Amino acid sequence: EAILSCKHKFSKGMSLRIEWKKIQPQGVSFVYYNGKFTGDLRGRAEMLNTGIRIRNVTRKDSGTYRCEISAKSEEGQRLGEATITLTVLVAPTTPVCEVPSSAMTGTVVELSCKETEGSPPSEYQWYKNGVALLENTRTGSARAANITYTMNKKSGTLLFNTVTKNDTGEYFCEAFNGIGLSQKCSVKRMQVDDLNISAIIIAVVVVALVMALCGLGVFYAQKKGYFAS
């Protein structure tokens, strides 16, 4: 549960009107209005004097809340308000990893890792053959280690600008945000191979022979008069 406290210094004899609102990017909505809770809090929130107790908080309850209290007195209407930010912490879920099963040397290859439930947002760590990959900060230590990739821990991407056969291996990603246990995706293997020049040459020769045979067939058919009117 979470308790949003809202204290005031109005006299006990004053007639108070209490409203709670949630401030969101798309606008301001009522949470408590005219003596009743509205929206998602209906049925799982209660008033504590002028504050709110929320049971079974979820990630959707995160946000900025505003308590507004108006009081009637002999001097007239008086208004007070307070703003409270509620952050609901959520452990990461199992991330979704995209790893190509095969790639050709010299090409650009990107591996991605993402999960959307963690609060605060998760950071990501990639592993190759069970060993954590170093973060490429383009510093001297990274160059000394001969790192050929760029790993972005915020976005979860692992980018190879020119992938090599040495990058062949089993990859997985870990998501963590400091809340609960970190979560890992399943291991996926990426096989990097050289461009098969011999196979390309053979394919070109075969295509050329097929086209030559087709041409000979057309020439023979025309010579025999098969195309005559």
Side-chain angles (χ1 to χ4, degrees), residues 124-198:
Y124 306 92
Q125 172 65 53
W126 277 97
Y127 293 79
K128 177 188 175 185
N129 299 329
V131 179
L133 294 177
L134 296 173
E135 186 174 12
N136 188 351
T137 57
R138 302 192 183 280
T139 61
S141 59
R143 288 193 295 269
N146 196 26
I147 294 178
T148 59
Y149 57 81
T150 301
M151 181 172 60
N152 190 323
K153 290 194 172 184
K154 297 292 185 181
S155 66
T157 58
L158 179 63
L159 178 65
F160 296 90
N161 286 320
T162 52
V163 72
T164 68
K165 293 186 70 174
N166 291 332
D167 297 318
T168 294
E170 296 182 338
Y171 292 83
F172 72 88
C173 170
E174 180 181 55
F176 58 94
N177 66 352
I179 308 300
L181 298 176
S182 59
Q183 298 293 328
K184 303 174 183 178
C185 65
S186 57
V187 177
K188 296 183 180 181
R189 181 174 178 80
M190 182 176 71
Q191 181 68 40
V192 182
D193 295 311
D194 290 327
L195 194 63
N196 196 334
I197 302 299
S198 299

Side-chain angles (χ1 to χ4, degrees), residues 3-6 20-21 63-67 82-86:
I3 296 177
L4 308 183
S5 179
C6 180
W20 277 86
K21 300 175 182 178
T64 301
Y65 294 81
R66 187 168 66 216
C67 167
T83 301
I84 303 172
T85 299
L86 173 64

Side-chain angles (χ1 to χ4, degrees), residues 34-183:
N34 201 20
K36 297 179 181 179
F37 284 97
T38 63
D40 293 337
L41 294 187
R42 188 187 293 116
R44 61 184 183 93
E46 62 178 324
M47 294 296 297
L48 294 178
N49 193 5
T50 54
I52 295 178
R53 172 189 282 141
I54 305 174
R55 298 185 298 274
N56 300 323
V57 294
T58 68
R59 192 173 189 272
K60 293 181 179 179
D61 295 325
S62 294
T64 301
Y65 294 81
R66 187 168 66 216
C67 167
E68 299 178 357
I69 302 178
S70 59
K72 290 183 179 180
S73 66
E74 296 179 355
E75 291 79 15
Q77 191 85 357
R78 298 174 62 186
L79 177 66
E81 64 179 39
T83 301
I84 303 172
T85 299
L86 173 64
T87 301
V88 180
L89 304 178
V90 183
T93 56
T94 302
V96 176
C97 297
E98 294 185 3
V99 179
S101 58
S102 62
M104 304 304 296
T105 56
T107 59
V108 177
V109 177
E110 182 176 274
L111 284 63
S112 65
C113 177
K114 195 68 177 177
E115 74 87 24
T116 58
E117 295 299 321
S119 178
S122 293
E123 292 191 1
Y124 306 92
Q125 172 65 53
W126 277 97
Y127 293 79
K128 177 188 175 185
N129 299 329
V131 179
L133 294 177
L134 296 173
E135 186 174 12
N136 188 351
T137 57
R138 302 192 183 280
T139 61
S141 59
R143 288 193 295 269
N146 196 26
I147 294 178
T148 59
Y149 57 81
T150 301
M151 181 172 60
N152 190 323
K153 290 194 172 184
K154 297 292 185 181
S155 66
T157 58
L158 179 63
L159 178 65
F160 296 90
N161 286 320
T162 52
V163 72
T164 68
K165 293 186 70 174
N166 291 332
D167 297 318
T168 294
E170 296 182 338
Y171 292 83
F172 72 88
C173 170
E174 180 181 55
F176 58 94
N177 66 352
I179 308 300
L181 298 176
S182 59
Q183 298 293 328

